[in-house]
Amino acid sequence: MTESIARTTVARTTSVSGLLAEIADIGTDSARGGYSRPVYSAAELELREWFIAAARARSLDIEQDRNGIIWAWWNPGRLPLADAVVTGSHLDSVPGGGAFDGPLGVASALAAIDSLQAGSVVPERPLALAVFPEEEGSRYGLACLGSQLMTGAVTPQRAAALTDADGTTFADLAARNGLDPAGMGRDDERLSQIGCFVELHVEQGRGLIDQGRAIAIGSSILGHGRWRLSFGGQGNHAGTTLMDGRRDPMLAAAATVLDVRRLGRTVDGARATVGKLDPIPGGSNVIASRVDVWLDVRHSDDAVVAALVADIAAVAREHAGAEGCSMTLTEASMSPRVDFHPGLRGRLSDILPDAPILPTGAGHDAGVLKEEIPTAMLFVRNPTGISHSPEEYVEDPDADAGGHALATVLANLLTQS
């Protein structure tokens, strides 16, 4: 940008760390460590109620839309709901995840509202705080489900038919939680109300550690996807079936997992991961009849992602054939590389001139919304560099610095065109 942006001063009020302390006991996982907060679980529902209560305490107008997204509006001038500034994140988690992935962005949004309301900011645009459901995809295997429904990136028919590990469809679960499955889907009215979206998130890597900074501005998200490799064999008795007479899909799956690492290492900048493996029927004294292997592949070039997945599928078929088994590949999701809006990103750089620009390998709702509206991201330092794990961490001063940075950005976006 050629012109500098004046930075609006905002007050420091409620601490982000204090807000996170209010929810520290919700959804703890004694078996895995950390937190397990799948969408519409008791823990995630309690967190949603916590957010609604906190928003009401700040005199925000609350609504849940037809895709399960919670919106909390600050619009003291009763301006038309158009060109709104939106911030927020999610409250669900991966199994055994950390305390900050998602909730940090929600708590920072609430703290930012406190700063704006305590200061002299007179908003010229409406502001909304948004909480998106099933961002992690930990229950239904499709990440950013709420934002993908809202933008039409996933059809309501596909979403409704998704099934969790207990056999519950998303349609049934949504209906039990007050949504009409027939009403889910692209929401043009809501999208037309949003002028921009800024999401704050814990950094899920070491970029800020290495640069010695607390806050960064996001540049891009790696292209990434999830695939299921299903190895089919012959289920049988572990004790009565001779070793040479087996068609064991677990052996083909195990060999493939090793090759995922080998092939991933051959491509500069690639990430290739198997984080979940499901043997069926899953008995300790049973040769599996099928083994499902969940593959995650990421790279900055979408063509490289496709090529790497194809190479992995080819070796998987070889391993399956060697064991007398079959292998089928199914794409669960694919999110192309995202480059955040250059104008909005540049404006954030003018507002926060000391913040470095960093890419991320993790997907976010901001990446989905980027196809419809200008989006940007702020990252807060994680001194462990570890995420999707109980070891994920943000120090209190950094959490509060992130909340203040977000408030400063929002004040500027709300008052200067």
Side-chain angles (χ1 to χ4, degrees), residues 343-415:
L344 183 59
R345 186 181 69 215
R347 183 162 178 173
L348 264 61
S349 291
D350 283 345
I351 299 168
L352 304 172
D354 295 328
I357 308 296
L358 293 177
T360 180
H364 300 283
D365 291 304
V368 175
L369 295 176
K370 182 262 178 186
E371 296 303 313
E372 303 288 338
I373 57 175
T375 65
M377 290 196 71
L378 296 174
F379 296 120
V380 178
R381 177 167 51 194
N382 174 355
T384 68
I386 296 171
S387 188
H388 282 187
S389 163
E391 297 170 73
E392 175 184 274
Y393 190 62
V394 174
E395 294 177 344
D396 288 353
D398 285 353
D400 295 333
H404 189 257
L406 179 62
T408 302
V409 165
L410 296 177
N412 185 282
L413 294 173
L414 288 169
T415 58

Side-chain angles (χ1 to χ4, degrees), residues 269-343:
R271 285 87 153 146
T273 307
V274 173
K276 181 180 178 181
L277 184 149
D278 291 328
I280 297 169
S284 60
N285 60 348
V286 178
I287 299 168
S289 59
R290 191 178 89 230
V291 176
D292 289 340
V293 172
W294 291 88
L295 172 68
D296 183 301
V297 176
R298 306 178 187 225
H299 193 271
S300 59
D301 186 334
D302 297 338
V304 172
V305 172
L308 181 53
V309 171
D311 288 344
I312 291 170
V315 299
R317 290 189 182 94
E318 291 178 5
H319 292 312
E323 299 297 334
C325 297
S326 63
M327 196 289 292
T328 59
L329 177 72
T330 304
E331 180 182 297
S333 65
M334 176 59 200
S335 300
R337 173 192 167 106
V338 169
D339 290 292
F340 291 115
H341 190 274

Side-chain angles (χ1 to χ4, degrees), residues 106-180:
V106 176
S108 297
L110 290 167
I113 281 285
D114 289 340
S115 296
L116 296 170
Q117 291 180 335
S120 58
V121 175
V122 179
E124 299 172 9
R125 306 164 68 180
L127 172 66
L129 280 54
V131 174
F132 295 90
E134 185 69 334
E135 192 272 351
E136 296 290 4
S138 63
R139 184 161 188 171
Y140 286 97
L142 188 56
C144 300
L145 184 56
S147 55
Q148 289 210 64
L149 279 168
M150 184 177 74
T151 60
V154 64
T155 66
Q157 293 79 13
R158 181 186 177 195
L162 293 171
T163 304
D164 69 8
D166 296 326
T168 303
T169 66
F170 184 66
D172 288 341
L173 185 68
R176 291 206 301 264
N177 288 278
L179 300 181
D180 177 7

Side-chain angles (χ1 to χ4, degrees), residues 55-222:
R56 284 181 176 149
R58 291 159 173 79
S59 300
L60 307 184
D61 296 326
I62 314 298
E63 60 175 318
Q64 178 177 261
D65 70 15
R66 53 194 174 90
N67 292 310
I69 305 167
I70 302 173
W71 301 85
W73 292 90
W74 185 50
N75 189 15
R78 296 302 169 191
L79 302 168
L81 294 186
D83 196 32
V85 177
V86 180
T87 189
S89 193
H90 61 98
L91 293 169
D92 64 307
S93 78
V94 297
F100 301 91
D101 183 353
L104 179 67
V106 176
S108 297
L110 290 167
I113 281 285
D114 289 340
S115 296
L116 296 170
Q117 291 180 335
S120 58
V121 175
V122 179
E124 299 172 9
R125 306 164 68 180
L127 172 66
L129 280 54
V131 174
F132 295 90
E134 185 69 334
E135 192 272 351
E136 296 290 4
S138 63
R139 184 161 188 171
Y140 286 97
L142 188 56
C144 300
L145 184 56
S147 55
Q148 289 210 64
L149 279 168
M150 184 177 74
T151 60
V154 64
T155 66
Q157 293 79 13
R158 181 186 177 195
L162 293 171
T163 304
D164 69 8
D166 296 326
T168 303
T169 66
F170 184 66
D172 288 341
L173 185 68
R176 291 206 301 264
N177 288 278
L179 300 181
D180 177 7
M184 295 188 300
R186 181 176 172 87
D187 193 340
D188 286 310
E189 180 181 5
R190 179 50 43 91
L191 289 169
S192 70
Q193 296 170 347
I194 303 173
C196 64
F197 176 66
V198 179
E199 181 174 3
L200 180 144
H201 205 277
V202 60
E203 190 198 2
Q204 296 170 287
R206 297 188 51 86
L208 283 165
I209 299 173
D210 294 341
Q211 297 201 32
R213 302 290 182 88
I215 310 297
I217 297 166
S219 61
S220 59
I221 298 175
L222 297 183

